Every structure is written in C-alpha cells, then in structure tokens.
Amino acid sequence: PRSTPKPSSAASDVYKRQTQDYPTFRPTLDFNFAAEKKLDPRITFYRTTLGSYIDENGDYRWASANQPKFNHDEVTHESKGLLIEPARTNKLSSGNNIPSGSNSGGNPGPSLVANNVEAPDGSPTARTIDYSNASGNMNSANSEYSWGDSAPAGKTYSASIWVKGTQGHTINMYLDASGQGSGNLNEAKIHRTLTGKWQRISVYHTYPSGANAAVLRVGTRSLHALTQGTATVVSLWGTTVVEESRPGSTIATPLADTTTAADYALIDGEDFTEFFNQVEGTIISSTDSLDPAAVQYPLVIEGDNTSNERHILAEAGAYQYQIKDGGSTVAQIDAGSVNITKNIIAAAYKLNDTAVTINGSDPVADTSATMPTCTKLKLGHWSTTNYFGHISRFMYYRSKVANTQLKTLSSQ
C-alpha cells in the first residue's frame, strides 16, 4: 500500500494552529534567536570586551565588542540562541600555555611535542602533548592546572578546554581536589571520544567539605571510576576555569583579557513605543538558564527607575512575573520551577487581569494589578544583575491573549 505523504513543516504549523488554541493574530515582535541567529535592527547589543561562542559546526568563534554571541551545544551543535553572560574571570591568566604534565606517575611525565600549533581560532597558540611516554603507563598521565584556591569547599567552579586528537581515541577531564575523596564526582568528570577536529569539553563541580588545593586534570589518567583514556598525541588550547554554576564561554587567555564584560540587549526610544502597548499585552520568552538557583532577570520592560515602573520576569529556582506601578508591587505571580533545560514563560497583562504560565502549566491569575508606564525593553540585564544563560526566543503581542492561548504559547 502507498504510504501517506508527510505534510510540509509549513502545513504542519498550520495544522497545529488549527487544532490547538493559538491566537488568531500575529505577534508584534518575534525574535527567534535560536533559529535566525541574528539581531533585529531595533536591538542594540552591549559588551565592552571580546567574547566567544561555539558555532553550528562546533567550532570556536571570537565575538568582537558589542557583537552578539549565538551559541551552540558543544556536543550536539544544537542552536541555543543568544548567549547572555555576566562579567566573568578566568582563574588561569595564561590558559593557552598548557603544561605538558604533572602529577603523572613519576619522571618523565607526558612530553611536549610542539608549541605554536594552529589553534581553534587559527592562531599559532595551541600546544601538542604526548601522553603515551609518561613514566609507568598512560593510566597515570595527565596535564594539571591549579589556580591557587586552597580552600574551595562550598564553591562551584566550571572548567572547559579545546582538544584535538585522533578520531575515536578518548580523553578524561576532572575538577579534582585533595581531601574530597575518590567517589563519584558527577558533572565534575567526563570521558569524551575525540572527533579528529577541535572540540570543546567542559565540566563543573561544587567542592564538598574537606576539599583543598583545587585542580583541573586533563589526560588519559583513570580517576573517580572513569575508564582510562586512549588518546596518545593531543593538542590543547583555551583552558578556562571560572567560579560559576555552569560552564560559560571560553576565555582564551592571554589572547583575551582575563575578565570579560557583561552582555545585554536593549530596545528603547521610538523603536520601543512603536511596538509596546501600555494598556494590555502578552510577553513570551524562552530561556535556558546556566544558573537556575540564582536570582536572575532574563528580561525587563521598564520605565522610570525612581518610581520602579516595570514588568519583569524573575528566576530564583522558580519563575515569577512581577509588575510594579508607582513604586508599589501590584502583581507578583509565581509561575513554577525553573528547568535545567529550556523554559518557556508566557505572561499577559491588562488592568486587574494578569496571568502567567510556564512550560504549558495552567495559568495563574491576578485580578488587582494596575499598569506601569514603560519606555524600554532590556534582555539580560536589570539594575545591577546580569543574566547567565541563553535566550532562544522573545515574542510580544499588543493584546492580552486568553488564558487558554497563553498556556498553548508556553507549550511550544
């Protein structure tokens, strides 16, 4: 029998909108950063230093000052959207000067094959190391990096490095410390198969009580229940260690400054007043938080700071929609818990008629809110707080959609 032809993506979208309760009118704004990988000309982007991101091929890319970073997953290369980061500091001031090896089972350690190797950014700044001739065997071979923290207990660090080796070989990476035991380190360790091209690997770890002398290890050494690596000759570059909840972008010192500046995006002036309705509207954002437990603000629509006029979406382990008018909090609605992966939050406002939903949950309403007067949209920044995560999409409707439609919009 003949198979039924599959509908095109456009036809599927039409079908979905016909069978689900979507608004019958288009949004005024629809910034699909993950799909389009560009900024609308109405958006001004700010960052005063160099930055970096991973492109759709898994390759390293520099971002000049005030250039947005459209980031991708380091393993799957899935588009993550607009990467927003606070100011961050690499604990290693010269992360490209890779040591050939230490704590490697005796003398000699892994050997330096070559300096001035072509790096992921095309510069001659990577190093190639041979782990196969370490004293003893490869099960004791690793390169080791420390940053002078002798009391890391209770702190969370991320670490990342770019590595290139023979396709099919494997390499290990650990955030380690003496005094923390030899048990399962969860996200602090990784056993990665090499692809034959430059690729980034990353880990993160909250050090337990008793930990001291924090260290990053990369190589074939088998620790913490990982299998021994098989990589022999490997090139390394861009070692980045930051005190933060999850791995952010590479800070390739000394080519880049040790500290990178914060990112944020802004729409104001006529560009704002042309799209925003002070009386009623609907706000949808899709985010991927890299610090889900922290108090963060992926977006704010605000007016006079003295009078605290604003619509704001807040993260702090859970999502909250807050409206301030004339300095008073007139609505504060809890939406639900923040997921580690993507979160879609949809909030609708009108005089005495506001609601919010997250990830397809039933909308939670408030019937006592007055409306502030707003003059700007900020993505990734409010007051002194900068967001840490990806914004994959932002949408805005000039009308308040029905609560059933709001639920559908947060289920996309």
Side-chain angles (χ1 to χ4, degrees), residues 140-156:
S140 62
N142 59 239
S143 302
E144 187 171 292
Y145 317 83
S146 61
W147 52 97
D149 191 343
S150 60
K155 299 176 185 176
T156 301

PDB file of all heavy atoms in Angstrom, residues 140-156:
ATOM      1  N   SER A 140      48.458   6.858  34.310  1.00  0.00           N
ATOM      2  CA  SER A 140      48.888   7.876  35.268  1.00  0.00           C
ATOM      3  C   SER A 140      49.198   9.211  34.589  1.00  0.00           C
ATOM      4  O   SER A 140      49.722  10.121  35.209  1.00  0.00           O
ATOM      5  CB  SER A 140      50.137   7.382  36.021  1.00  0.00           C
ATOM      6  OG  SER A 140      51.202   7.171  35.119  1.00  0.00           O
ATOM      7  N   ALA A 141      48.862   9.333  33.304  1.00  0.00           N
ATOM      8  CA  ALA A 141      49.271  10.511  32.540  1.00  0.00           C
ATOM      9  C   ALA A 141      48.165  11.563  32.495  1.00  0.00           C
ATOM     10  O   ALA A 141      47.052  11.295  32.073  1.00  0.00           O
ATOM     11  CB  ALA A 141      49.641  10.106  31.110  1.00  0.00           C
ATOM     12  N   ASN A 142      48.480  12.764  32.956  1.00  0.00           N
ATOM     13  CA  ASN A 142      47.567  13.891  32.778  1.00  0.00           C
ATOM     14  C   ASN A 142      48.320  15.217  32.848  1.00  0.00           C
ATOM     15  O   ASN A 142      49.414  15.299  33.411  1.00  0.00           O
ATOM     16  CB  ASN A 142      46.422  13.892  33.794  1.00  0.00           C
ATOM     17  CG  ASN A 142      46.854  13.948  35.247  1.00  0.00           C
ATOM     18  OD1 ASN A 142      46.532  13.055  36.011  1.00  0.00           O
ATOM     19  ND2 ASN A 142      47.563  14.985  35.661  1.00  0.00           N
ATOM     20  N   SER A 143      47.717  16.226  32.249  1.00  0.00           N
ATOM     21  CA  SER A 143      48.169  17.599  32.435  1.00  0.00           C
ATOM     22  C   SER A 143      47.356  18.180  33.579  1.00  0.00           C
ATOM     23  O   SER A 143      46.176  17.868  33.744  1.00  0.00           O
ATOM     24  CB  SER A 143      47.948  18.416  31.165  1.00  0.00           C
ATOM     25  OG  SER A 143      48.621  17.825  30.076  1.00  0.00           O
ATOM     26  N   GLU A 144      47.976  19.034  34.370  1.00  0.00           N
ATOM     27  CA  GLU A 144      47.328  19.519  35.587  1.00  0.00           C
ATOM     28  C   GLU A 144      47.416  21.036  35.665  1.00  0.00           C
ATOM     29  O   GLU A 144      48.437  21.633  35.358  1.00  0.00           O
ATOM     30  CB  GLU A 144      48.013  18.883  36.795  1.00  0.00           C
ATOM     31  CG  GLU A 144      47.319  19.167  38.113  1.00  0.00           C
ATOM     32  CD  GLU A 144      47.914  18.326  39.235  1.00  0.00           C
ATOM     33  OE1 GLU A 144      47.743  17.079  39.212  1.00  0.00           O
ATOM     34  OE2 GLU A 144      48.552  18.916  40.116  1.00  0.00           O
ATOM     35  N   TYR A 145      46.315  21.638  36.083  1.00  0.00           N
ATOM     36  CA  TYR A 145      46.224  23.093  36.181  1.00  0.00           C
ATOM     37  C   TYR A 145      45.678  23.458  37.557  1.00  0.00           C
ATOM     38  O   TYR A 145      44.657  22.925  37.982  1.00  0.00           O
ATOM     39  CB  TYR A 145      45.268  23.660  35.125  1.00  0.00           C
ATOM     40  CG  TYR A 145      45.418  23.036  33.755  1.00  0.00           C
ATOM     41  CD1 TYR A 145      44.788  21.833  33.445  1.00  0.00           C
ATOM     42  CD2 TYR A 145      46.182  23.653  32.775  1.00  0.00           C
ATOM     43  CE1 TYR A 145      44.927  21.256  32.196  1.00  0.00           C
ATOM     44  CE2 TYR A 145      46.327  23.084  31.525  1.00  0.00           C
ATOM     45  CZ  TYR A 145      45.699  21.882  31.240  1.00  0.00           C
ATOM     46  OH  TYR A 145      45.846  21.308  30.009  1.00  0.00           O
ATOM     47  N   SER A 146      46.344  24.370  38.236  1.00  0.00           N
ATOM     48  CA  SER A 146      45.833  24.859  39.521  1.00  0.00           C
ATOM     49  C   SER A 146      45.747  26.380  39.462  1.00  0.00           C
ATOM     50  O   SER A 146      46.421  27.026  38.659  1.00  0.00           O
ATOM     51  CB  SER A 146      46.736  24.415  40.669  1.00  0.00           C
ATOM     52  OG  SER A 146      48.038  24.944  40.515  1.00  0.00           O
ATOM     53  N   TRP A 147      44.906  26.943  40.311  1.00  0.00           N
ATOM     54  CA  TRP A 147      44.701  28.404  40.275  1.00  0.00           C
ATOM     55  C   TRP A 147      44.770  29.020  41.673  1.00  0.00           C
ATOM     56  O   TRP A 147      44.250  30.101  41.914  1.00  0.00           O
ATOM     57  CB  TRP A 147      43.370  28.745  39.605  1.00  0.00           C
ATOM     58  CG  TRP A 147      42.170  28.022  40.166  1.00  0.00           C
ATOM     59  CD1 TRP A 147      41.279  28.487  41.106  1.00  0.00           C
ATOM     60  CD2 TRP A 147      41.729  26.702  39.822  1.00  0.00           C
ATOM     61  NE1 TRP A 147      40.322  27.547  41.363  1.00  0.00           N
ATOM     62  CE2 TRP A 147      40.556  26.437  40.580  1.00  0.00           C
ATOM     63  CE3 TRP A 147      42.181  25.730  38.938  1.00  0.00           C
ATOM     64  CZ2 TRP A 147      39.857  25.240  40.495  1.00  0.00           C
ATOM     65  CZ3 TRP A 147      41.488  24.535  38.848  1.00  0.00           C
ATOM     66  CH2 TRP A 147      40.342  24.296  39.612  1.00  0.00           C
ATOM     67  N   GLY A 148      45.424  28.289  42.582  1.00  0.00           N
ATOM     68  CA  GLY A 148      45.736  28.876  43.873  1.00  0.00           C
ATOM     69  C   GLY A 148      44.625  28.874  44.887  1.00  0.00           C
ATOM     70  O   GLY A 148      44.724  29.582  45.897  1.00  0.00           O
ATOM     71  N   ASP A 149      43.559  28.091  44.660  1.00  0.00           N
ATOM     72  CA  ASP A 149      42.483  28.025  45.646  1.00  0.00           C
ATOM     73  C   ASP A 149      42.725  26.820  46.554  1.00  0.00           C
ATOM     74  O   ASP A 149      42.466  25.679  46.179  1.00  0.00           O
ATOM     75  CB  ASP A 149      41.121  27.907  44.964  1.00  0.00           C
ATOM     76  CG  ASP A 149      39.966  28.113  45.942  1.00  0.00           C
ATOM     77  OD1 ASP A 149      40.199  28.018  47.169  1.00  0.00           O
ATOM     78  OD2 ASP A 149      38.835  28.371  45.486  1.00  0.00           O
ATOM     79  N   SER A 150      43.213  27.093  47.753  1.00  0.00           N
ATOM     80  CA  SER A 150      43.500  26.019  48.707  1.00  0.00           C
ATOM     81  C   SER A 150      42.317  25.720  49.619  1.00  0.00           C
ATOM     82  O   SER A 150      42.389  24.805  50.440  1.00  0.00           O
ATOM     83  CB  SER A 150      44.716  26.397  49.558  1.00  0.00           C
ATOM     84  OG  SER A 150      44.466  27.602  50.268  1.00  0.00           O
ATOM     85  N   ALA A 151      41.224  26.471  49.464  1.00  0.00           N
ATOM     86  CA  ALA A 151      40.029  26.244  50.290  1.00  0.00           C
ATOM     87  C   ALA A 151      38.775  26.341  49.418  1.00  0.00           C
ATOM     88  O   ALA A 151      37.953  27.255  49.577  1.00  0.00           O
ATOM     89  CB  ALA A 151      39.979  27.258  51.427  1.00  0.00           C
ATOM     90  N   PRO A 152      38.589  25.400  48.474  1.00  0.00           N
ATOM     91  CA  PRO A 152      37.465  25.506  47.540  1.00  0.00           C
ATOM     92  C   PRO A 152      36.133  24.974  48.079  1.00  0.00           C
ATOM     93  O   PRO A 152      35.129  25.051  47.373  1.00  0.00           O
ATOM     94  CB  PRO A 152      37.936  24.649  46.365  1.00  0.00           C
ATOM     95  CG  PRO A 152      38.757  23.581  47.007  1.00  0.00           C
ATOM     96  CD  PRO A 152      39.465  24.261  48.150  1.00  0.00           C
ATOM     97  N   ALA A 153      36.121  24.416  49.282  1.00  0.00           N
ATOM     98  CA  ALA A 153      34.897  23.797  49.811  1.00  0.00           C
ATOM     99  C   ALA A 153      33.724  24.775  49.758  1.00  0.00           C
ATOM    100  O   ALA A 153      33.825  25.930  50.189  1.00  0.00           O
ATOM    101  CB  ALA A 153      35.125  23.336  51.245  1.00  0.00           C
ATOM    102  N   GLY A 154      32.612  24.306  49.170  1.00  0.00           N
ATOM    103  CA  GLY A 154      31.403  25.125  49.056  1.00  0.00           C
ATOM    104  C   GLY A 154      31.356  25.987  47.817  1.00  0.00           C
ATOM    105  O   GLY A 154      30.307  26.569  47.507  1.00  0.00           O
ATOM    106  N   LYS A 155      32.448  26.088  47.088  1.00  0.00           N
ATOM    107  CA  LYS A 155      32.478  26.893  45.870  1.00  0.00           C
ATOM    108  C   LYS A 155      32.164  26.013  44.651  1.00  0.00           C
ATOM    109  O   LYS A 155      32.509  24.837  44.624  1.00  0.00           O
ATOM    110  CB  LYS A 155      33.852  27.545  45.668  1.00  0.00           C
ATOM    111  CG  LYS A 155      34.273  28.493  46.782  1.00  0.00           C
ATOM    112  CD  LYS A 155      35.676  29.006  46.530  1.00  0.00           C
ATOM    113  CE  LYS A 155      36.177  29.857  47.686  1.00  0.00           C
ATOM    114  NZ  LYS A 155      37.586  30.287  47.472  1.00  0.00           N
ATOM    115  N   THR A 156      31.535  26.609  43.631  1.00  0.00           N
ATOM    116  CA  THR A 156      31.278  25.908  42.378  1.00  0.00           C
ATOM    117  C   THR A 156      32.163  26.493  41.283  1.00  0.00           C
ATOM    118  O   THR A 156      32.180  27.708  41.074  1.00  0.00           O
ATOM    119  CB  THR A 156      29.803  26.032  41.962  1.00  0.00           C
ATOM    120  OG1 THR A 156      28.980  25.498  42.996  1.00  0.00           O
ATOM    121  CG2 THR A 156      29.536  25.254  40.676  1.00  0.00           C
TER     122      THR A 156
END
